[in-house]
Amino acid sequence: MSNSRDAWWRSAVIYQVYIRSFADGNGDGIGDIAGIRSRLPYLADLGVDAIWINPWYPSPLADGGYDVADYRDIHPAYGTLDEARQLITEAHELGLRVILDIVPNHTSDQHAWFQQALAAGPGSPERNRYIFRDGRGEDGSLPPNDWHAAFGGPTWTRTDDGQWYLHLFAPEQPDLNWDNPQVRAEFEAILRFWFDLGVDGFRIDVAHGMVKDPALPDLGLSEFSVLALEGQEDHPHWDREDIHTIFRSWRAIADSYPDPRVFVAEAHVRPGRLADYLRDDELHTAFNFDFLKCPLETDRLREVIDRSITDLAAVGAPATWVLSNHDETRHVTRYGRAYTGVTAPMRDEGHPSDRALGTRRARAATLLMLALPGGAYIYQGEELGLYEVDDLPEEALQDPTWERSGHTVRGRDGCRVPLPWTGDTPPFGFGPQGSTPWLPQPEDWKSHTAEANQADPTSMLHLYRTALHLRRTLPDLTSKELCWIDSPNGTLLFQRGTGLLCALNLSDQPIPLPHACRPLLASEPLGNDGTLPPDTAVWLHRA
């Protein structure tokens, strides 16, 4: 059964592929399926268990593919459906599972359904697939309520016939009406389509936002916040109770396959609510945003780790751990700042970063993350030590946040710059020499290519590869338990199984390591006297 205590997904390390920026197989500057296929051996050798591919569906790309025009096909720039089938087959032959993104809260405004809704007019069945309302005021010229969109501006756009449609994100992403049985049936059919092609699971985008209060009441907030849930016990569009009926039907579909498929939720919810999404008959796992956004401070880290494990254990679900993704500043950059958490919605630019310090702390955080019980996510390029590209030319920026904020928030492009693979000059093997990547790469990424990392035994890539292979082979890291051991202020020390210890030193002084322990892997060289230097982590085997 998929909820078995030894199911693969309970401890899987999953590698996130942002397809536009992973590898370009045809030289048009955009990553594609051919590029992914060419790098599958690299991913298998890295030691991950699965890949998660960001949306690859046909899309106008108003939001990097999260505006889907057709959920059963491949964007022409990325390849074909036949190529997708080949990728799935080749990944499975290498022992890699394949997880796709599903975007159920909204479609593209170019989706056939939305175009039909615009043509059909007010009160039509076609419009009932989305959330259309008359405006307020005598002439209906005011939006139906005071909600704010995630990318800035109002969450309503008026149509030519005077009605308004809801979009929690960009105007090009109209929200679906999940009270409509036709919408529910359509997405169940979409899941089956991809599961039948061999896809192993889905990451659910905005899993907490699909269901809305039909009354669409005012929120009384001056601006949008993904996490504006405090004091909102009955929020009108986030984390509503009816969402669980949908996910129970999805779980039944996943469990109907001989090799049950899996789900991971992107769900921003109130404290204590995440476990509700991970009950035995709902979703399997969820992203741990508390861990991703947590400052690199030992007391805060231990609190988040304990709460994550305890809350999810109540429903028999594993925790997951993640340091970066396609929506957040890369953690090499975050960890080089005075404040190491995520400091602002969408972006935290403007804070100077010490790259050498950030890299050292990132190496330590990696060993911490991979020593924790549960699953883990790696965002493409973090294994190469990539940092946030925060000086992209303004004319290159493509994130909708840049336009919607009136050019005040640069958006997420800085963590989405195409990967460097080989060579000393752009495009660094991302595509054929002479091709131009869709976002410019820094010249100094020549020291961060996969090729350069491979040649350096002390590199970030070697650290990841060694840790991932040890994670597979050390019996203690299959234990479900974590036992904290007393340690000095500014440090963490815990045991997995009967003999594996992980120590993390975030203090400003070297600390002695436990006696009778043999180092297995350290993020930086240990002191000559066997001490653990500051901003360093180590895995130890107790003799």
Side-chain angles (χ1 to χ4, degrees):
M1 293 295 292
S2 62
N3 60 356
S4 164
R5 295 297 173 181
D6 58 357
W8 70 271
W9 49 267
R10 300 188 69 88
S11 60
V13 177
I14 299 174
Y15 186 100
Q16 180 185 355
V17 173
Y18 191 78
I19 185 169
R20 287 178 65 80
S21 300
F22 184 68
D24 170 17
N26 63 9
D28 65 357
I30 298 172
D32 48 34
I33 292 175
I36 299 175
R37 291 173 63 193
S38 73
R39 301 297 181 179
L40 286 176
Y42 165 88
L43 295 173
D45 185 58
L46 182 61
V48 298
D49 301 293
I51 59 173
W52 153 38
I53 304 172
N54 287 102
W56 60 4
Y57 314 106
S59 167
L61 301 176
D63 181 24
Y66 284 91
D67 48 320
V68 180
D70 183 350
Y71 290 85
R72 293 180 178 85
D73 206 349
I74 301 295
H75 192 290
Y78 299 152
T80 66
L81 203 53
D82 281 341
E83 287 181 281
R85 291 189 183 96
Q86 292 169 333
L87 182 150
I88 294 165
T89 297
E90 292 166 5
H92 288 169
E93 290 172 349
L94 289 169
L96 296 169
R97 309 255 185 175
V98 178
I99 295 172
L100 301 184
D101 242 309
I102 189 77
V103 187
N105 179 70
H106 46 260
T107 70
S108 165
D109 62 353
Q110 300 304 305
H111 191 284
W113 273 13
F114 192 71
Q115 291 300 304
Q116 293 164 8
L118 292 178
S124 64
E126 290 83 359
R127 284 212 171 174
N128 191 45
R129 295 167 176 159
Y130 294 87
I131 301 175
F132 281 82
R133 292 292 189 274
D134 293 331
R136 296 193 290 195
E138 290 185 6
D139 58 356
S141 62
L142 299 176
N145 65 24
D146 67 352
W147 298 357
H148 291 260
F151 298 146
T155 194
W156 294 94
T157 292
R158 200 175 193 190
T159 62
D160 291 342
D161 56 37
Q163 277 203 312
W164 300 73
Y165 68 87
L166 177 70
H167 51 86
L168 293 183
F169 294 86
E172 297 87 353
Q173 297 168 292
D175 280 37
L176 288 159
N177 173 19
W178 276 90
D179 290 331
N180 186 326
Q182 196 173 11
V183 172
R184 299 193 183 208
E186 170 68 1
F187 274 84
E188 290 178 3
I190 291 166
L191 294 178
R192 290 190 178 94
F193 174 85
W194 290 105
F195 286 159
D196 289 347
L197 261 63
V199 167
D200 298 286
F202 280 98
R203 175 262 192 188
I204 306 170
D205 184 61
V206 196
H208 60 298
M210 295 153 62
V211 174
K212 282 80 176 178
D213 183 338
L216 303 176
D218 283 346
L219 263 169
L221 299 175
S222 60
E223 61 182 17
F224 172 92
S225 173
V226 172
L227 299 176
L229 295 169
E230 294 78 5
Q232 292 278 351
E233 295 303 316
D234 187 26
H235 197 284
H237 63 73
W238 289 150
D239 189 27
R240 296 191 61 77
E241 193 61 34
D242 290 349
I243 194 72
H244 300 288
T245 301
I246 298 169
F247 292 147
R248 281 192 287 271
S249 71
W250 287 20
R251 178 61 177 262
I253 293 170
D255 284 350
S256 71
Y257 285 78
D259 182 14
R261 298 345 190 206
V262 302
F263 295 111
V264 56
E266 181 204 31
H268 296 275
V269 297
R270 298 190 303 275
R273 289 278 291 176
L274 192 60
D276 292 347
Y277 288 72
L278 306 182
R279 290 172 285 205
D280 280 346
D281 60 347
E282 293 193 41
L283 307 178
H284 300 76
T285 62
F287 288 148
N288 191 337
F289 291 109
D290 289 346
F291 185 77
L292 185 154
K293 297 183 178 185
C294 183
L296 207 60
E297 302 166 8
T298 53
D299 289 347
R300 300 279 293 277
L301 286 167
R302 179 165 174 170
E303 177 188 356
V304 168
I305 292 167
D306 282 342
R307 185 172 67 246
S308 301
I309 294 172
T310 301
D311 286 355
L312 300 188
V315 293
T320 65
W321 315 102
V322 59
L323 299 173
S324 283
N325 65 26
H326 66 293
D327 285 332
E328 301 292 349
T329 301
R330 286 188 176 274
H331 61 276
V332 161
T333 297
R334 297 200 319 269
Y335 291 163
R337 294 177 173 146
Y339 178 73
T340 52
V342 174
T343 59
M346 308 297 295
R347 280 302 76 187
D348 48 0
E349 64 247 359
H351 302 270
S353 179
D354 179 333
R355 193 174 299 160
L357 176 62
T359 299
R360 184 181 181 95
R361 288 173 170 172
R363 292 171 62 91
T366 296
L367 291 194
L368 169 69
M369 177 180 77
L370 294 178
L372 295 171
Y377 283 80
I378 294 171
Y379 178 48
Q380 64 177 41
E382 70 177 71
E383 82 281 8
L384 304 178
L386 297 188
Y387 53 85
E388 186 82 0
V389 184
D390 51 17
D391 59 353
L392 288 167
E394 290 186 357
E395 61 270 19
L397 299 178
Q398 300 188 31
D399 191 311
T401 305
W402 174 241
E403 292 295 333
R404 295 282 289 173
S405 68
H407 295 179
T408 60
V409 180
R410 292 174 63 87
R412 300 160 293 179
D413 291 322
C415 66
R416 300 175 176 184
V417 174
L419 296 192
W421 292 97
T422 62
D424 294 328
T425 58
F428 297 119
F430 169 70
Q433 195 63 31
S435 61
T436 303
W438 70 281
L439 285 174
Q441 301 159 303
E443 292 286 343
D444 69 355
W445 270 12
K446 64 184 180 182
S447 61
H448 290 273
T449 65
E451 181 180 51
N453 268 266
Q454 177 62 33
D456 178 4
T458 68
S459 70
M460 188 78 83
L461 179 60
H462 277 278
L463 180 73
Y464 269 77
R465 188 175 287 153
T466 304
L468 289 169
H469 284 268
L470 283 173
R471 183 180 162 102
R472 283 184 171 179
T473 56
L474 292 173
D476 286 323
L477 286 177
T478 65
S479 168
K480 308 298 188 295
E481 303 300 324
L482 179 152
C483 178
W484 294 105
I485 300 171
D486 289 340
S487 62
N489 289 337
T491 71
L492 293 176
L493 178 63
F494 61 86
Q495 180 168 318
R496 295 287 310 282
T498 59
L500 186 116
L501 302 181
C502 177
L504 171 69
N505 182 11
L506 296 179
S507 74
D508 59 1
Q509 297 293 325
I511 62 165
L513 290 170
H515 296 295
C517 286
R518 175 173 59 90
L520 296 174
L521 179 63
S523 62
E524 301 288 343
L526 300 180
N528 292 333
D529 54 356
T531 56
L532 185 66
D535 300 311
T536 304
V538 64
W539 291 0
L540 305 160
H541 186 265
R542 192 189 294 275

